[in-house]
Amino acid sequence: MSYLDLLTFARGSALNWALIIFSAGVVLRLFEIFGLGRKADLAKPRATTPGSGWRTIFTRSLPVQGMLKRDPVTYIGGYVFHLGLLFAIFFFAPHIEFFRGLTGLVWPGLPPALVDASVVSAIVALVVLLAHRLNNPVKRMLSGFGDYLAWAATLLPLLTGYLAYHHLLVEYTLMLALHLYSVELLLVLLPFTKLFHTFSVFISRWYNGDIFGRKGVAS
Amino acid sequence: MKPSEKPGSVGAGLKQRGVTRREFLEFCTAVTAMLALPPSMAKVMAEAISGARRQSVIWLSFQECTGCTESITRSHSPTLENLIFDLISLDYHHTLQAASGEAAERARASAMKDNEGRYLLIVDGSIPMGNPSYSTIAGISNYDMLVETAKGAAAIVAVGTCATYGGLPKADPNPTGAVSVSDIVKDKPIINVPGCPPIPVVMTGVLAHFLTFGSIPELDDLGRPKSFYGETIHDRCYRRPFYDQGKFAESFDDEAARQGWCLFKLGCKGPVTYNACATAKWNDGTSFPIQSGHGCIGCSEPNFWGAGPLYKALSMPVSANTAMLGGAVAAGAAAGVVITWHNRSNKSAAKMAHDKVTVQELTREEK
Ligand code: SF4
């Protein structure tokens, strides 16, 4: 099997299965979460705060006053990583072609140099956050296998993408195939690991905001 | 008498055909550059080739389209017509030779006998293993002819993607069970010169190397001469600065295409294709596909024909589509309904099984 064959398989059957597992898995998990439901809150809401769930989605994305100072690494690292990842996935021209191939949708990309810089920042942020996690006793105690798995599964596509783009380490064809395989691993793991927060984070934020609003707590 | 003046030598043949020493030296200079040899080697090459006896070559054509022969007979100055008659002695090539039928087969047999262990075997086309009768020459199956002729060869040059990797005949579903030369011959040095067709100057370069050094050039993992296949089209593409700046043509005739922007989005496979088109170019160095506005289709890579649609960008999925995703979502939803139903019945079963405790039932533990 030549490197091109590996790449063709990565773009073909392997990708198809990864996408099928990913899409079916995400929908299944959402059904599971929503299907469990919550007991109806029969109490009269303390305050009528329409939209408090939606507001919380945004407000919780900003650090609470004072927290940025108390834990800058987590906050800044978190932002840098998530934004870097977002740019890399959705604004790199070849990736937009990927989405076009899949859905027919197109949008303008960012200059490759900018995407490159955001990928490097995301990788650096991931490494710093891991070091912080290992050095901070509380974070370390809270971390389990799932956290490290999610970390590694997220790092691999970024790293292989960077190496492929810069033609480093191994032949481009092979690195591109490895990049695709690492993305496929991420897709397969996402619905069933902590990586599912990609979808659930906004649901839980909305719920928290809404329920606290009803209880009269500012969100 | 100098070796290059001896009758039967390449030098004598060149002289007879009016090729001047200067012209020949120019050719050698071009070839040494292509082979990444130091410029001083041009003279050595010219001397060595002029003094050598014309190399006996047997050319076998199997499941092919004759495009490789077409390509090679258009190789630039000195053209292969010169090369055939001056550098080598093409003892058998069923498209080009005058003899036919039994006379042709006799030519092959006598070349094999006379030059046992010394002749060069060139093969274009793949070999059908599904059924020997899919392709025969003079009633001899391609497989038998290859095995028989390979036995006494000094080295084999597999020309074109069919002979090197199976090529088009091997494309799914491979109806003839096509295989490459290296799938069959295991005990001879094989130089793979892939391409559909290969660049003529690569062929002449490989021949010149063999004539000069009596050995084959350094090869990569896929058996290709490193000097010609060491870099990708993308590495040497003149549109590369546009790729790096993210400037892409969106269609074959838009303004961006006219400005010479990168053809990645139009399906160019240059980034994963190892060949010398961007530097050696075609038609006497005139141009190459990307220069004439079409993306590289990756024709010199193994199984290129099955490597996804030609006009889909390299980063696009080969076959995944919205319908497939829709199906997966529906399957996920169906599984989700089943799981929800299961969870809910668990929940109500737990509720049913729950014994309520009344205040009366509670007893105070006396201290
Ligand atoms: S046209 Fe093809 S080979 Fe040239 S830079 Fe663009 S992608 Fe690379």
Side-chain angles (χ1 to χ4, degrees):
Chain A
M1 217 185 196
S2 74
Y3 293 157
L4 187 66
D5 291 335
L6 278 178
L7 178 63
T8 307
F9 182 66
R11 289 172 64 208
S13 307
L15 179 67
N16 292 0
W17 281 110
L19 284 170
I20 287 172
I21 295 172
F22 169 79
S23 318
V26 167
V27 174
L28 183 134
R29 290 296 312 275
L30 288 176
F31 262 80
E32 213 183 354
I33 293 170
F34 286 120
L36 273 179
R38 284 278 184 272
K39 265 194 186 151
D41 182 5
L42 300 174
K44 210 170 151 226
R46 283 243 178 136
T48 42
T49 50
S52 109
W54 295 104
R55 244 189 343 269
T56 312
I57 291 181
F58 294 103
T59 52
R60 287 278 169 96
S61 300
L62 301 170
V64 184
Q65 223 185 3
M67 282 306 277
L68 193 61
K69 253 200 189 133
R70 277 185 64 183
D71 193 1
V73 177
T74 306
Y75 277 103
I76 298 174
Y79 272 112
V80 171
F81 160 70
H82 280 99
L83 287 175
L85 188 68
L86 184 86
F87 282 175
I89 296 177
F90 293 107
F91 295 103
F92 184 47
H95 292 173
I96 299 173
E97 284 305 286
F98 175 87
F99 293 112
R100 185 162 76 99
L102 211 54
T103 63
L105 300 173
V106 263
W107 53 89
L110 285 172
L114 204 67
V115 178
D116 192 31
S118 67
V119 168
V120 174
S121 339
I123 293 175
V124 171
L126 267 184
V127 174
V128 169
L129 286 169
L130 179 71
H132 192 244
R133 188 185 280 270
L134 292 172
N135 280 327
N136 182 310
V138 178
K139 271 184 157 186
R140 193 171 61 225
M141 198 197 78
L142 289 171
S143 307
F145 173 74
D147 296 277
Y148 297 112
L149 178 72
W151 183 89
T154 315
L155 177 75
L156 282 178
L158 280 166
L159 196 64
T160 50
Y162 176 83
L163 293 173
Y165 179 72
H166 289 280
H167 292 233
L168 297 171
L169 225 60
V170 294
E171 246 176 54
Y172 176 75
T173 314
L174 176 61
M175 195 49 96
L176 193 59
L178 292 177
H179 176 57
L180 276 159
Y181 287 123
S182 68
V183 170
E184 283 149 18
L185 180 72
L186 184 72
L187 284 175
V188 169
L189 289 178
L190 194 140
F192 311 107
T193 58
K194 292 194 175 184
L195 294 166
F196 193 66
H197 76 266
T198 316
F199 290 89
S200 60
V201 64
F202 297 114
I203 302 171
S204 62
R205 267 186 203 163
W206 177 88
Y207 180 75
N208 281 341
D210 192 68
I211 197 81
F212 283 129
R214 286 176 72 89
K215 288 178 179 170
V217 183
S219 59
Chain B
M1 191 190 291
K2 282 207 254 172
S4 61
E5 285 166 7
K6 272 198 208 136
S9 71
V10 174
L14 288 168
K15 204 168 172 188
Q16 203 182 357
R17 292 182 63 81
V19 179
T20 65
R21 196 179 141 71
R22 172 184 282 270
E23 280 169 334
F24 187 58
L25 209 57
E26 269 170 20
F27 163 75
C28 290
T29 310
V31 172
T32 42
M34 290 297 301
L35 285 167
L37 296 170
S40 57
M41 281 307 293
K43 225 172 145 213
V44 178
M45 180 179 274
E47 291 302 326
I49 296 181
S50 306
R53 277 186 63 80
R54 283 157 67 206
Q55 172 67 39
S56 167
V57 169
I58 296 178
W59 185 313
L60 302 179
S61 299
F62 298 143
Q63 293 192 125
E64 44 82 49
C65 66
T66 316
C68 295
T69 299
E70 281 284 337
S71 160
I72 215 116
T73 48
R74 276 151 184 70
S75 59
H76 64 85
S77 192
T79 60
L80 187 82
E81 287 96 297
N82 290 334
L83 225 117
I84 289 170
F85 300 112
D86 302 328
L87 299 192
I88 62 173
S89 157
L90 189 63
D91 295 328
Y92 180 90
H93 185 307
H94 66 221
T95 308
L96 297 178
Q97 71 196 23
S100 61
E102 281 169 13
E105 286 313 303
R106 268 204 303 279
R108 184 169 65 92
S110 68
M112 283 165 61
K113 197 160 143 258
D114 297 347
N115 302 292
E116 169 94 51
R118 281 178 290 133
Y119 61 85
L120 206 57
L121 173 60
I122 299 182
V123 182
D124 67 335
S126 63
I127 301 98
M129 298 301 280
N131 183 333
S133 64
Y134 283 152
S135 174
T136 61
I137 298 158
I140 306 167
S141 76
N142 290 170
Y143 175 84
D144 289 342
M145 189 175 275
L146 175 63
V147 170
E148 186 193 356
T149 319
K151 247 182 228 153
I156 302 174
V157 187
V159 180
T161 304
C162 297
T164 48
Y165 309 127
L168 218 53
K170 196 186 164 198
D172 193 43
N174 191 359
T176 61
V179 298
S180 68
V181 173
S182 55
D183 284 331
I184 293 173
V185 182
K186 303 285 181 196
D187 56 349
K188 293 282 172 187
I190 299 175
I191 308 162
N192 283 335
V193 182
C196 193
I199 307 176
V201 77
V202 177
M203 269 301 305
T204 44
V206 167
L207 283 177
H209 187 284
F210 187 77
L211 291 176
T212 309
F213 303 106
S215 66
I216 62 174
E218 199 188 343
L219 307 177
D220 67 9
D221 292 345
L222 290 169
R224 307 174 290 199
K226 277 188 181 165
S227 43
F228 294 106
Y229 296 90
E231 285 175 306
T232 62
I233 302 291
H234 184 71
D235 286 334
R236 303 301 295 267
C237 178
Y238 74 103
R239 296 192 192 227
R240 179 69 182 272
F242 294 114
Y243 175 92
D244 291 338
Q245 291 162 28
K247 291 179 171 171
F248 303 101
E250 303 284 340
S251 82
F252 284 109
D253 58 355
D254 64 2
E255 189 47 36
R258 262 170 248 142
Q259 296 285 327
W261 288 12
C262 170
L263 303 170
F264 180 85
K265 287 190 181 177
L266 297 170
C268 181
K269 304 295 182 294
V272 294
T273 305
Y274 288 79
N275 208 337
C277 305
T279 41
K281 303 202 178 173
W282 290 78
N283 299 326
D284 227 344
T286 308
S287 124
F288 72 114
I290 290 172
Q291 198 171 343
S292 54
H294 193 284
C296 163
I297 63 167
C299 75
S300 54
E301 291 296 315
N303 300 331
F304 82 95
W305 205 258
L310 297 183
Y311 296 101
K312 269 195 179 182
L314 195 56
S315 60
M316 278 186 172
V318 169
S319 52
N321 54 39
T322 331
M324 191 196 87
L325 292 187
V329 166
V337 168
V338 173
I339 289 194
T340 302
W341 174 79
H342 175 75
N343 286 345
R344 290 207 156 205
S345 48
N346 265 359
K347 209 164 140 185
S348 45
K351 215 172 175 184
M352 298 282 281
H354 183 71
D355 275 340
K356 278 199 176 130
V357 182
T358 61
V359 178
Q360 287 74 27
E361 283 168 345
L362 296 175
T363 52
R364 184 188 291 269
E365 260 182 45
E366 298 297 334
K367 283 195 185 157

